[in-house]
Every structure is written in C-alpha cells, then in structure tokens.
Amino acid sequence: MKDYKMWIGGIYSEAASGETFLSTDPYTREDWARFPRAAKKDVDRAVEVAHTAYTEGEWPTWTASARGAALVRLGDLITCHAQRLAEIEVRDNGKLIAEMSNQAKYMANWYAYYGGLADKVEGLVPPIDKPGVVNMVTYEPLGVCALITPWNSPLLLLAWKLAPALAAGNTVVIKPSEYTSASTLELMALVEEAGIPAGVVNVITGFGADAGQALVTHPLVRKVAFTGGEAAGRAINEAAARDFKKVTLELGGKSPNIVFDDADLDAAVPGAISGIFAAAGQTCIAGSRLLLQDGIYDVFLDRLIDMTRAAKLGDPMQADTDISPVATQAQHQKILDYIAIAKDEGATCVLGGKAANPGGSQGYFIEPTIFTDVRNDMRIAQEEVFGPVLSIMRFSDEDQAVAIGNDVLYGLAAGVWTNDLTRALRMSRKLQAGTIWVNTYRSTSYTTPFGGYKLSGVGRENGSQAIMEYLQPKSVWLAEPKPVANPFIRR
Ligand code: NAD
C-alpha cells in the first residue's frame, strides 16, 4: 500500500482530521494507495496558501516570460517521466497503458504551448473619444483558481487547465477525482523541480461533496475549471454563480457518429470502434450513437461485429490488450444497469451484453456491447453510459441524420464519414456540437478549442483563446490633469 499526502504550500500534508481513503486497482480489485481525506479545514488552508502566493509571494513578481519558461521546463520533465506517470494512472483507473503513455507524452505539449503563449498576451491602447486621455487595457490574472478533474484522464485533463491558468499568472488548488489522485500528487515533484514557487500549485485529495464543494464555495476562489459529469457540473455551476465566479465546465456527451453510404468503410469501421470501445467507452467524446445509412447498414454491421468480437480483453498493462476494465465498481454496475434498461426498452443486443472475466481476472470488465433496433427516444440513446456500449440507428438521408444527431440534450462532439466534401461541410454546419470530426474521430489538440454545446458545458479549453478564460481585462485611463468646470457632470 502506497501512502500519499496532499501538497499544500510546497509541503506534503495529512488531512487535519487524519482521515484517509483508498484507491482500488480496477484490474486486480486490490486497494493499492491511501490518500488524506480533505474536509473544509484543509480546503481553507490550501486556498489561503494559494491566495497568499498570488498576492504576496514571489509568483506575482515573475514576468510572463519567466512563467512561460517554467511551464516549458515542466513540460520537459513530464516527457522524461511520462511512462512512470502513465503506469500510475493505469493502476488508478485501469485504462490501457498504450493509451495512458501516449497521453502522458502528448500532455507535455500543453505546457510548452501555454508556456510559449504566456508572454504573447498583448494589451490594447484603444482610441478614446475624449481629448487629452490615453486608455490602456491590460489583462490580469483572476487569483486563486480551483481545478477539479475526473478519473478518466486525470493528468491530461489537468494539463488543459493548469497550463493556461499558470501561464496567465494565477495560483491554483487542484482537486483530482477521489478514484485517481495518485498521478496528480506525483506531478507535484515535477512542478517543484520546474522551479514554480511553493504555494502556486496545491493539491487537496478528497470527495466531491465535502472537499470539492468547500473548494468551489470558498470566497477566495475566483474561478472554477471543472471536467466531469452533468450532476456535479450543475452543482458546481450553481454554487459558483452565488458568488459570481467564472466557470469552465467540460461535461458529458452522447455523440452521434454518422456514416453515409459513400464513406470509406476501411476507415469508418475502425473509426466507429475507436469512437466507442477505446478506453472501454470511458470518454466524454465517445461516439456512443452510431447512425448508419440504409445502403451500408448490413455490411457495416457485419464488419463492425467481426472486428469488435476480435478485441482482446485483459491486463491493461499488456501492450496487446484492446479493452481494459472500467474504472470503478460503481461504474461497472451502472453500465450493467444500462444494458438491462436497453434490453427492457426493446433494443436488440447483437454483441456482448455481460460482465466478463478474461483469464479469470476479477477486474471490472464489461464485454464490448452493441445494440441495434435502438430508437433515439430510448434511454440508451439519450443518456451517457460511459462504458463500452454502442447504440446503432439507421437513417435514410442527410436531414434525418441531422435530426437524430441533434435530438439529444448534449452537444460535445459528432463524427461524419463521407467522401462528399460539400456534404461534410453541410453536416458540420448543421450538427450542434463543439467538435465535428469528418473521416476521423477522437482527435484533440492543444491548438484548437474543445468544449460543449448545450448540456455538454460552458466555455472552451485548448487553443490560444483558452488563456483568456483565466484573465480579466483592466481598463486604465491616463489623463492630463485639467481643472474641471463642473465635477457633477460626467465627461
Ligand atoms: P464526476 O462529475 O463524478 O467527478 C468529477 C470531479 O468532480 C471529481 O473530482 C469529483 O470529486 C468532483 N465533484 C463531484 N461533485 C462535486 C461537487 N458537488 N463539487 C465539487 N466537486 C465535485 O465525474 P467522473 O465520474 O469523475 O468523470 C466522468 C464524467 O466526466 C463523465 O460524465 C464524462 O463525460 C465527463 N468528462 C468530460 C470531459 C470533457 O472534456 N467534456 C472529459 C472527460 C470526462
């Protein structure tokens, strides 16, 4: 059993109460790490430390170039430690080592990108319609930002927040998921080695309802950046609104992956599989609704089932495993419940549909599951399962595909498979989602915005504009002193 401590003000700390909680390896079902269970008192301490670092410490005296250089150093350190960090994440969330180590290496780009951007946020000198006055607009950090992350990609989704928050000059308190706190705490040694002053980055570990809520409602927190589910997102949005805090919310999805008759099936079949079965379906961007046009429906379905059936379930640490266990017992049960609901609603299970125990493993495995005869008003087509469960629907023409695609409360992403460029453009205009992939799926990058329409979220992460989510404009008026004839009238 590995014992972790929180990271507050550059010191490893226990919870004031002395309480702890455990993390379970989803493949072995063994508890492998122990974390302090933070409560309000710990959160208050972490936020106060972060606030002091923001107002009085060394950090506010750093130039933007110096902050950027530290982020670039952090990115380099992450590259050196990527494999180790990935292995820790696999123990916590059970995802494939192949995926987590790619993510860990790729993640360094966020620190390099926002490190480079730190000293390129330029102010303005707008022309002012009053004589003898110069006006300048500068962009200032917000203060203490709360960064709250989920279990599916803990460090990558943290990088989407931490890199722009620090580049902009804020200080932060991070609360990772209670299921996956280890990698974030391991990152702190690299934050320190990169030379980022103590107190600028702090980590509390604990549960959403106590530590998370105390963090969001703390009066010194000025911004909350959150990735997670709709229910927590709603609670955070409501709590933050009470004190007019800024929020960025990256929430769930029920994304349509739409295949037209003219698509290249050699690309589209693996694209559909990757869309839903990669990461055992535990991605917000999962293409969990597959819409197939009449002309290719049968052949596509046959190929999809054959290729999916060949997927190897097993040890996530093995390079040849295709499907890992899901992250938690609760998630395992939730997915099985949705499979039962889909059957009750009249959908036809053409593959999978049960828990699995490959090689006698006790892990939280679910067979990759495919449902046909799904109507878009069924719960299996409307609600986020966050597991390896695909709902297939049939469509005849573009209008019907758009209508089904958009008929959902979420709007995170959509896929379109076609060789007709004008159709691709039409579809990308009509689909209501923050990301549209044409003839590809699941790509994200530090250079382009990511976020949701409708219930999938508020604000955007990634891309050059995302740094503005961590800044506020200040307008400074510089006037020649002049006697004022009548001070009671606004000039
Ligand atoms: P979750 O909402 O249960 O938890 C996410 C984080 O929020 C955890 O750290 C949790 O402790 C914390 N939290 C929960 N309630 C809180 C509260 N009231 N106040 C403050 N913090 C609180 O999500 P999860 O189960 O860890 O992750 C899965 C969800 O995340 C899925 O819905 C998925 O779609 C979503 N997700 C979205 C994106 C995206 O970028 N849009 C990416 C990955 C995952």
Side-chain angles (χ1 to χ4, degrees):
M1 177 76 64
K2 178 141 183 167
D3 266 303
Y4 282 96
K5 302 216 171 17
M6 299 189 286
W7 176 252
I8 301 175
I11 296 168
Y12 288 105
S13 313
E14 302 283 5
S17 66
E19 281 187 49
T20 57
F21 63 97
L22 300 172
S23 175
T24 308
D25 180 330
Y27 179 58
T28 61
R29 291 201 190 206
E30 280 166 12
D31 296 331
W32 77 278
R34 186 171 16 231
F35 302 91
R37 180 171 180 166
K40 186 172 180 308
K41 208 168 167 185
D42 308 289
V43 172
D44 287 351
R45 186 161 75 86
V47 174
E48 278 154 24
V49 163
H51 186 252
T52 304
Y54 176 68
T55 51
E56 296 168 22
E58 199 191 319
W59 187 240
T61 71
W62 281 30
T63 62
S65 304
R67 292 197 302 268
L71 286 176
V72 172
R73 284 197 297 278
L74 178 56
D76 290 344
L77 287 164
I78 288 171
T79 303
C80 297
H81 291 264
Q83 188 61 20
R84 186 176 61 82
L85 293 170
E87 285 169 15
I88 291 162
E89 297 214 310
V90 174
R91 288 209 82 177
D92 255 353
N93 69 10
K95 280 170 68 177
L96 298 181
I97 187 65
E99 164 136 354
M100 298 322 279
S101 69
N102 278 345
Q103 264 190 20
K105 284 181 219 141
Y106 192 45
M107 176 175 68
N109 289 301
W110 268 262
Y111 294 97
Y113 180 79
Y114 287 103
L117 201 56
D119 58 7
K120 291 165 197 72
V121 177
E122 294 174 351
L124 294 170
V125 183
I128 288 289
D129 60 332
K130 302 176 198 312
V133 176
V134 173
N135 177 273
M136 59 181 189
V137 179
T138 56
Y139 289 93
E140 297 196 340
L142 305 172
V144 180
C145 301
L147 313 183
I148 302 178
T149 51
W151 45 259
N152 61 332
S153 294
L155 283 183
L156 180 71
L157 296 172
L158 174 62
W160 294 15
K161 300 164 180 53
L162 183 59
L166 295 183
N170 299 281
T171 60
V172 306
V173 177
I174 302 165
K175 198 205 81 63
S177 165
E178 51 273 37
Y179 297 112
T180 55
S181 300
S183 57
T184 302
L185 288 169
E186 296 274 354
L187 184 74
M188 292 307 108
L190 307 186
V191 166
E192 188 177 33
E193 197 178 335
I196 294 169
V200 172
V201 182
N202 306 278
V203 181
I204 52 150
T205 51
F207 292 78
D210 41 28
Q213 193 69 8
L215 181 58
V216 171
T217 51
H218 196 293
L220 291 176
V221 167
R222 292 313 317 152
K223 149 114 198 179
V224 184
F226 167 80
T227 299
E230 185 192 324
R234 204 180 285 280
I236 288 170
N237 202 22
E238 286 171 3
R242 274 201 292 274
D243 290 325
F244 312 108
K245 294 174 183 172
K246 284 177 186 283
V247 292
T248 310
L249 304 171
E250 298 288 2
L251 309 175
K254 195 75 195 178
S255 301
N257 206 356
I258 303 169
V259 188
F260 285 93
D261 285 347
D262 67 343
D264 178 343
L265 297 199
D266 289 339
V269 172
I273 289 175
S274 154
I276 183 65
F277 297 123
Q282 302 168 106
T283 66
C284 52
I285 49 183
S288 49
R289 292 184 299 149
L290 180 64
L291 277 56
L292 301 177
Q293 198 167 12
D294 289 328
I296 45 113
Y297 185 93
D298 292 326
V299 63
F300 195 104
L301 187 59
D302 287 348
R303 287 179 62 172
L304 181 76
I305 291 174
D306 285 350
M307 197 178 258
T308 307
R309 192 180 275 126
K312 185 175 170 213
L313 281 68
D315 183 349
M317 290 302 291
Q318 296 300 319
D320 64 344
T321 302
D322 298 312
I323 298 198
S324 68
V326 299
T328 66
Q329 189 163 25
Q331 190 60 23
H332 191 249
Q333 189 55 51
K334 178 183 159 194
I335 297 165
L336 291 174
D337 290 348
Y338 267 111
I339 290 172
I341 289 167
K343 288 177 180 169
D344 279 357
E345 286 180 312
T348 306
C349 185
V350 292
L351 189 74
K354 307 189 290 299
N357 59 346
S361 156
Q362 293 303 301
Y364 304 127
F365 286 96
I366 305 271
E367 291 176 351
T369 297
I370 300 178
F371 281 104
T372 57
D373 301 321
V374 175
R375 288 190 326 270
N376 202 46
D377 62 353
M378 291 178 176
R379 286 183 66 190
I380 197 67
Q382 290 291 318
E383 298 174 20
E384 188 184 46
V385 177
F386 221 60
V389 181
L390 179 63
S391 297
I392 301 188
M393 284 167 274
R394 195 190 262 273
F395 70 92
S396 306
D397 59 28
E398 241 176 78
D399 286 346
Q400 197 187 5
V402 170
I404 297 171
N406 287 339
D407 182 18
V408 70
L409 292 174
Y410 296 107
L412 194 57
V416 178
W417 300 84
T418 179
N419 277 322
D420 178 342
L421 181 61
T422 48
R423 167 185 283 156
L425 286 172
R426 267 195 312 274
M427 291 297 290
S428 62
R429 265 200 314 273
K430 289 181 181 169
L431 288 167
Q432 296 159 359
T435 294
I436 311 289
W437 290 294
V438 178
N439 296 328
T440 182
Y441 204 86
R442 267 191 109 217
S443 299
T444 55
S445 169
Y446 45 94
T447 60
T448 187
F450 180 84
Y453 280 32
K454 304 194 280 188
L455 294 198
S456 289
V458 174
R460 291 292 180 272
E461 297 189 308
N462 307 341
S464 57
Q465 291 301 307
I467 197 167
M468 303 312 287
E469 304 257 1
Y470 293 90
L471 288 163
Q472 52 195 337
K474 177 178 274 179
S475 174
V476 178
W477 294 73
L478 301 169
E480 288 169 28
K482 276 197 211 138
V484 175
N486 183 350
F488 300 100
I489 301 208
R490 190 163 70 92
R491 286 182 299 156

